[in-house]
Structure formats: structure tokens, C-alpha cells
């Protein structure tokens, strides 16, 4: 009789353990992370933050990289939907077809967290980004002060139609309205926010107007390309400013290659994106807009950001 009871007890314990394990497996959440282009340090930092925080919390993350191609991203997100992820963190690869993944996910009742870029005609359930309007205006005011309110400005924009390009245009333009001594002599958009584009665009601008004294690149990569073009073109005392606070951008600020950048809180945005995705997956509500401040970064305050990115 005792032996029978012992056998029964062991059997019940094993069954309970198996049931608990099955329940835990069922409870484990899976998040899809669709990144615009992992060649960009900015997106890589967000990816690293999401994956690190998810690993600590026992959350599975399926990461896909569109490599800057919108059509590829549409296909990737359709695959994430087919795999029935609990939520999607979405960094659109561009303005073209950006709304398609959000519409598809919503049709499948999968919540979407957009980071950095938000399709205006099909916004995600929440949008996490830097307040680029305010940040670009602060940067513009810095340029006005640094130059004494005088100079010829050349602007290299990001990818036309994306949220950062639109907002950074708006913010910097606000500052320039209060700085009439700075004249905009050139303005051109890039396709991929890339350094080689910044170099080629800036080089052509310098050929047309060798008296350019200020370059404003809407991303650090674009600004670095412009700085390289200015050096090749033998331009002296040129103010070059960027935006993002990428590692390369921060190092360039430290060395004096860039005059300043705006450091975005990429690590914070990654953690916030995961937290928002989990809340939405659990049926909780989150704010539709979650804007974060950026920090004007010069030689005077760059070192802490190189030690630990915010």
C-alpha cells in the first residue's frame, strides 16, 4: 500500500512538473523586430537594446533586417505575422509602402510599435522616437550662436518622406528663421542616409559654391561625408553638424571633425519599445506618442556618451 502511494505521489509530481513546463512554454512571448537597415549604427543600437532586455526577461525576439529595402521589409513582416508573433516592433525601411506592414499586422490583430519612423497614413499603436523637431531647432540655434549668425548653409537631408527627415527639416528651419544672417545656398536629399551619399552630395555642392561655411547633415553619416568632402575641397573653418549620436559621430565630435551632433537615447528607446510591445500584447494601453529628448553634444560633453550610450 505504501509503495502504491509513493508511486502515485511521484506520478502526480511528474505530471504537475510537466503541466507547469507546458504552461510556461505557452506563456513565453515572441516579439518580431523588423529593422530598417542594420548597417546603420543607430538601428543596431536599438536592436541590441531590445534583444538584451528581452533575454533578461525570457522573451523571444525574431529579428529581421530589410537592408534598406521596403519591399523586402513588407515580405519579412508578412512572415512574422504568419509565425503569429505576439507583437511587432517596426522601424520602417522608408516612406514607400511603410503603411502596408501596419495594415497587415492590424488585420491579424497583432499590435505594432513603431520606432523612429511612423507611417502617417497607417500609424502604429504607439510611436517611439526622438523629438526631432525640438532637437533640430536646438541644433540650429547652436549653429547660429557658433557662427555669430553669419554664413552660407548647405543642408543634406535624410530620406524624403520619412518622419525624421520631415521633423528635422522643420526644427532646423525654425531656428534659421531667427538667424537671418545665415543663407541657405544648397539643399539635397539622400536616399539611404549613408556616408558615401553625404560625401558625393557635399562635393557637388562645394563645386557649385566653394564659399559654403556650414554643413548640416540630418544624420551623423551624412555629416561625416560632408566633413570629408570639405577636407578634400580644402575648405577651412567649416562648421559641420550631424544628428543621431552614433559611435562614429561621437568620435568625430571628440576629434573635432564634427562640430556637434544631437545624441539620441537609442538604448532607452529599445527598452521602451519592448516594454510597450509587451503591454500591448497583454491588452494594456500605451500612449500613442512617446517622444524622447536628445542631447546637444559637443567636445565639452561627448566623453560620457562614448563610455556608455544612453
Amino acid at each position: 500500500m505504501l509503495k502504491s502511494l509513493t508511486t502515485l505521489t511521484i506520478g502526480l509530481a511528474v505530471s504537475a512538473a510537466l503541466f507547469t513546463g507546458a504552461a510556461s512554454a505557452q506563456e513565453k512571448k515572441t516579439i518580431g523586430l523588423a529593422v530598417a537597415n542594420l548597417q546603420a549604427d543607430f538601428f543596431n543600437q536599438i536592436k541590441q537594446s531590445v534583444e538584451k532586455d528581452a533575454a533578461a526577461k525570457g522573451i523571444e525576439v525574431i529579428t529581421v533586417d530589410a537592408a534598406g529595402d521596403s519591399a523586402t521589409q513588407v515580405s519579412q513582416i508578412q512572415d512574422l505575422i504568419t509565425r503569429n508573433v505576439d507583437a511587432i516592433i517596426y522601424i520602417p525601411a522608408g516612406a514607400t509602402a511603410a503603411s502596408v506592414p501596419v495594415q497587415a499586422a492590424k488585420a491579424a490583430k497583432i499590435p505594432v510599435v513603431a520606432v523612429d519612423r511612423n507611417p502617417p497614413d497607417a500609424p502604429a499603436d504607439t510611436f517611439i522616437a526622438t523629438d526631432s523637431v525640438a532637437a533640430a531647432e536646438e541644433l540650429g540655434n547652436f549653429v547660429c550662436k557658433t557662427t555669430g549668425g553669419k554664413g552660407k548653409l548647405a543642408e543634406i537631408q535624410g530620406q524624403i518622406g520619412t518622419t525624421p527627415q520631415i521633423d528635422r527639416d522643420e526644427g532646423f528651419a525654425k531656428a534659421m528663421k531667427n538667424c537671418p544672417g545665415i543663407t541657405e545656398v544648397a539643399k539635397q536629399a539622400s536616399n539611404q542616409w549613408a556616408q558615401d551619399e553625404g560625401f558625393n552630395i557635399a562635393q557637388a555642392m562645394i563645386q557649385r559654391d566653394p564659399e559654403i561655411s556650414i554643413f548640416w547633415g540630418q544624420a551623423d553619416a551624412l555629416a561625416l561625408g560632408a566633413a570629408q568632402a570639405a577636407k578634400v575641397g580644402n575648405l577651412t573653418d567649416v562648421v559641420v553638424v550631424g544628428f543621431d549620436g552614433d559611435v562614429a559621430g561621437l568620435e568625430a565630435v571628440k576629434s573635432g571633425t564634427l562640430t556637434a551632433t544631437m545624441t539620441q537615447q537609442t538604448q532607452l528607446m529599445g527598452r521602451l519599445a519592448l516594454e510597450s510591445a509587451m503591454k500591448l500584447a497583454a491588452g494594456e494601453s500605451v500612449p500613442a506618442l512617446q517622444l524622447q529628448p536628445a542631447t546637444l553634444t559637443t567636445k565639452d560633453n561627448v566623453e560620457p556618451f562614448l563610455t556608455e550610450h544612453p
Side-chain angles (χ1 to χ4, degrees):
M1 181 68 177
L2 180 61
K3 183 177 180 181
S4 298
L5 285 172
T6 302
T7 303
L8 178 61
T9 302
I10 293 172
L12 288 172
V14 170
S15 298
L18 290 172
F19 177 81
T20 302
S24 296
Q26 288 176 354
E27 289 169 7
K28 185 173 182 178
K29 297 295 184 182
T30 302
I31 302 298
L33 174 60
V35 185
N37 191 346
L38 285 177
Q39 289 185 345
D41 180 64
F42 173 76
F43 299 134
N44 250 315
Q45 293 226 21
I46 293 173
K47 167 189 175 288
Q48 291 164 12
S49 177
V50 170
E51 290 179 345
K52 181 181 178 180
D53 200 33
K57 295 176 178 177
I59 301 164
E60 182 183 359
V61 177
I62 302 171
T63 302
V64 292
D65 174 20
D69 185 70
S70 294
T72 297
Q73 192 167 56
V74 169
S75 176
Q76 289 173 335
I77 292 185
Q78 187 57 59
D79 180 61
L80 291 174
I81 292 169
T82 302
R83 294 172 74 167
N84 199 31
V85 295
D86 294 288
I88 293 172
I89 299 172
Y90 176 38
I91 307 175
T96 306
S99 63
V100 175
V102 178
Q103 293 167 343
K106 286 188 175 181
K109 296 185 179 179
I110 296 173
V112 179
V113 176
V115 181
D116 187 56
R117 308 168 181 183
N118 199 23
D121 51 343
D125 295 285
T126 185
F127 176 46
I128 298 166
T130 294
D131 188 345
S132 284
V133 175
E137 183 177 5
E138 183 179 1
L139 183 63
N141 289 333
F142 167 82
V143 168
C144 186
K145 182 179 179 180
T146 300
T147 59
K150 296 178 181 179
K152 287 190 171 185
L153 167 68
E155 180 176 349
I156 305 176
Q157 300 164 288
Q159 191 176 22
I160 290 294
T162 56
T163 310
Q165 176 270 313
I166 294 168
D167 289 351
R168 291 170 197 178
D169 260 7
E170 180 184 341
F172 204 85
K174 280 184 178 180
M176 291 302 99
K177 282 181 181 179
N178 297 318
C179 197
I182 292 180
T183 306
E184 184 178 273
V185 296
K187 187 174 186 176
Q188 186 175 330
S190 65
N191 292 317
Q192 292 291 341
W193 307 79
Q195 184 168 336
D196 59 345
E197 289 181 295
F199 175 78
N200 293 331
I201 292 170
Q203 196 168 50
M205 289 173 167
I206 292 168
Q207 289 172 354
R208 291 192 297 269
D209 190 339
E211 294 184 355
I212 290 171
S213 58
I214 306 162
F215 275 107
W216 151 225
Q218 289 189 352
D220 284 345
L222 296 173
L224 286 167
Q228 183 185 5
K231 183 178 180 180
V232 171
N234 294 316
L235 270 63
T236 57
D237 299 322
V238 180
V239 170
V240 185
V241 295
F243 199 112
D244 281 337
D246 290 345
V247 172
L250 293 171
E251 289 175 344
V253 169
K254 182 179 179 179
S255 70
T257 301
L258 296 186
T259 310
T261 187
M262 297 301 298
T263 301
Q264 303 193 75
Q265 299 183 78
T266 49
Q267 298 296 312
L268 172 63
M269 286 194 283
R271 293 192 300 271
L272 185 57
L274 182 66
E275 179 186 331
S276 298
M278 294 305 295
K279 284 183 177 180
L280 289 167
E284 299 176 37
S285 61
V286 297
L289 184 62
Q290 302 185 69
L291 294 182
Q292 311 302 314
T295 304
L296 176 65
T297 309
T298 65
K299 268 189 176 184
D300 294 336
N301 66 336
V302 69
E303 197 63 49
F305 296 132
L306 283 167
T307 303
E308 184 177 358
H309 207 282

